[in-house]
Amino acid sequence: MQKISLKKIDLDVFSETLSNGLKVYIVPKKEVNNIYATFTTDFGSNDIEFIPNGKQDYIKVPLGITHFLEHKMFEQEDGTDAFNFFGERGSDANANTNNIKTTYLFSGPNFFEDNINFLLDYVQSPYFTDENVEKEKGIIIQEMKMYQDDPYSKLYDAILDATFINNKTKYPIIGTEESVNSITKEDLYDCYNTFYHPSNMVLVITGNVDPEEVIKIVSANQDNKKFKKEQKIDIKEYDEPNEVAIKKKVISANINLPKVSITYKINLKNIKNIPIRKKLLYLSILFDVKFGVTSLINEQMREQKILSSGIDVSSVDADSHILFILMGETNKETEFLDAIKKEMLDLNIIESELERKKKTIISSMIYMSDSITRINHKVIGDYIKYGNIIENNYDEVKSLNYEELNDFIKQLDTSNYTIVVEDK
Amino acid sequence: MNYQVYNMGAYRLHCVRSTNFKKTNVMINFKRKATKKELSIRTLLPRVLMESSKKYKTAREMIIETENLYNLYFKSNCYLSGNYNIMSFEATFLNNDYTEESLFDDAIDFILEIINNPNIEKRVFNEKSFNLAKEILKEEIDTFKDDPNRYSYMRLFKEIDKRSIYASCILGTKRELERITPRKLYNYYKSVIEHDQIDIFVISPLDKETVQKTFAEKLVLNDRKPFIDSHYIYYEDYRKRTKIVCEKGDYEQSKLLVACKFDLLTPFEIKYVSLVYSYILGGGPSSKLFQTVREKNSLCYSISSSFKPLNQYLIISSGINPDSFKKAFKLIKKEIKNMAKGEFSVDKIEEAKVTFLAGLQEIKDSPSSILNTYVSHEYMDADFIEEREQKIQEVTYDMVLAFAKKVHIDTVYILQGGEEDAEN
């Protein structure tokens, strides 16, 4: 078992790769009662064109299948209900799917051995039938409608659609009514057999556990099962242009005040001489200083009654590009957009702002280290994105400097953006 | 838990010492009897206070200061707690071990600056701050209906009893808001500072005496009498014939809310038996409602029940297909009847207890949850965690059955989405 210590936040991360390729990470935290465990496959809603395990040609599966599969994993051949199983042990179970991964999880202070064995067992025993696939469609379409009734979620989907051309982040994770209705059990097995091999998965346990004990239980569980030979996964790659798909789009929703958004599509690959994570940090600091709650433009727009509650700043890391979404609820669309575009012409900030933001990022890391859920999410995020755990986040933040930031700004291209307006 | 209450004359200081966390939480609550006519002004007040103070002339300056204080989180809100309206300020900041200089005193100074040193000129609130906060509130009242969830709950309470304060929008009305002037707000502020019951809750690694000394030095106010009336609202009757109200909304999904009332409940039933009952009926994915309405009949994505101890309502909430109302409601009624017939197992009761106990252990992992147990002890006479652990064990099958026989469906509210009619 390997051990790495995360600097400044008093956490040790233990890891081991099992013989079937499953990567296991454990972050013990003895002062808490609870245990949070996640089992994640490197399979997200973007992975819809790939060569299935045991076959030779690319297939294209329906949109939303990753999320559909996540729902169906809870169905067991012997009728055991996963929620009941965890419920009986006073634990919560859940699962979630995003563009790049699917995660199954439980959280609960007791019955760890039962729970972890069951988590591994139910995710590793698919049971899809024509009937149970059909039954799920109604539930998923209700979930879809719930999102469509949420004006923020509707706007977000429209922004991704307007921004991307080939990147699959363009499409809603849940799929469309038509694509969901077209899903078959064969599609589900193709996805399952390709992406749910232990070597494509990671198990992360945070909380009141003993690492040695965890590895013993997990190894015994995995040694009892047979898996197909590990196979390299071939997912079709797409070139994503820097341009946006649609420059302006207006959508309608049941709202009383329009939501106006401008989204910058940024390609960081063209920026030279700065490591990727530092680029991401500079970019987020820049947008935070320029448009966040401490920005001058935010204050000015409120004083000029363009906005009442300020600019909402969020970002999406879609691998090929980073999106920064600036959204305001306003009746003054032109004034809002003009002010932002004008601010974007000069991205320089003063050094003390950089230093203050560095302090807040380091403080956030300490807050994060107090929560077993957030620690767990950091480990999954690092592993899925970088293939290992980033142990020197603290040093990275500390090393950000004004000179490098200015070099970053010089190289940054912010000419590609899309405007999406949501109105009645 | 290491808990002590200090009577500080004007306020009570509730101190909890814990070294389990890297952060300190402080909650300052002002309470007075809830009235409809004060809803707007009470909601507006903390918002104006958070726009500026004597020392920080704008919200921007204030937020910059929170970043200088190592990303101190600060928020305020107003909520109804039975017969009372609570105006609450909450702050979270890093413990002294994790900052370069000692933070506790500076953080408390910051919080008290906002609450106790407002931006007043000649006995009126600064007009600019007043208007900025008022604009946001106006916008929130305008967009209240954009969130079908929040809106449908308010509508349900209106249909249950239109005279109740819960039938009003917690934000108040635009008409009331327009009547408030910076001077009126100042008078209201003075009355709050002089007459409201104030409770301060702190969880930190510092000695309780140090915390007490800090507040004794920094917050000196005139003595006042605490309120003695209970937070609980008791009703006298329930409808013999269920009231069903359907309202058309421009949404994809229909929102179904079912409110149940009870024959007179004992304090033990309100505190404990209700939790077990609600867990079995609609407490999560293993509950009767989830299994019947979602899993077996695919009528919804979500369905759950929750018991509101302060007014003793059981509310069942679900997002359903627009044409599924009749079927879903029939199934809900059937499950409520099944509970009254005793169709639930002792195992399920044990499961509810295990879940409840696990939940209590999780509370101990979160400083804000720990503080909330003392808030509910203070306001609702809730038991401390250790007592709760013992008392839940006393709940028996017969008690749950007796409780189930007291349930009466009083009011049903449907916010109808889609094209179909509710009666189809």
Side-chain angles (χ1 to χ4, degrees), chain B residues 8-115:
Chain B
M8 312 284 279
Y11 54 95
R12 279 152 58 85
L13 180 64
H14 307 250
C15 291
V16 185
R17 182 166 187 266
S18 171
T19 51
N20 279 353
F21 310 105
K22 293 174 184 165
K23 52 189 181 262
T24 290
N25 285 50
V26 176
M27 187 193 282
I28 303 185
N29 283 1
F30 293 79
K31 111 173 183 184
R32 66 164 60 188
K33 283 279 177 66
T35 63
K36 278 189 185 179
K37 66 176 195 326
E38 276 181 41
L39 283 173
S40 290
I41 200 162
R42 199 161 173 88
T43 306
L44 181 63
L45 178 59
R47 290 160 185 249
V48 174
L49 292 175
M50 288 182 74
E51 283 293 340
S52 66
S53 73
K54 273 270 177 303
K55 191 170 172 189
Y56 310 109
K57 295 296 181 195
T58 63
R60 179 171 177 258
E61 281 179 32
M62 205 179 270
I63 299 165
I64 287 175
E65 183 60 10
T66 64
E67 295 190 341
N68 287 328
L69 295 169
Y70 297 85
N71 221 1
L72 174 146
Y73 292 102
F74 191 53
K75 62 175 184 183
S76 71
N77 75 325
C78 274
Y79 63 93
L80 294 175
S81 169
N83 285 311
Y84 290 93
N85 188 322
I86 313 293
M87 182 168 87
S88 180
F89 296 87
E90 275 180 78
T92 306
F93 49 91
L94 293 179
N95 291 339
N96 293 342
D97 290 352
Y98 294 91
T99 57
E100 280 147 23
E101 61 265 35
S102 164
L103 190 58
F104 187 78
D105 273 40
D106 291 347
I108 301 299
D109 283 340
F110 175 80
I111 300 163
L112 295 179
E113 163 74 19
I114 311 302
I115 296 172

Side-chain angles (χ1 to χ4, degrees), chain A residues 274-285:
Chain A
I274 304 174
I276 176 65
R277 277 194 301 280
K278 284 179 84 178
K279 287 187 210 177
L280 290 168
L281 285 166
Y282 283 128
L283 189 64
S284 87
I285 288 175

Side-chain angles (χ1 to χ4, degrees), chain A residues 149-162:
Chain A
D149 278 341
D150 173 9
Y152 287 97
S153 151
K154 201 168 170 179
L155 175 68
Y156 182 75
D157 282 350
I159 289 171
L160 297 179
D161 180 52

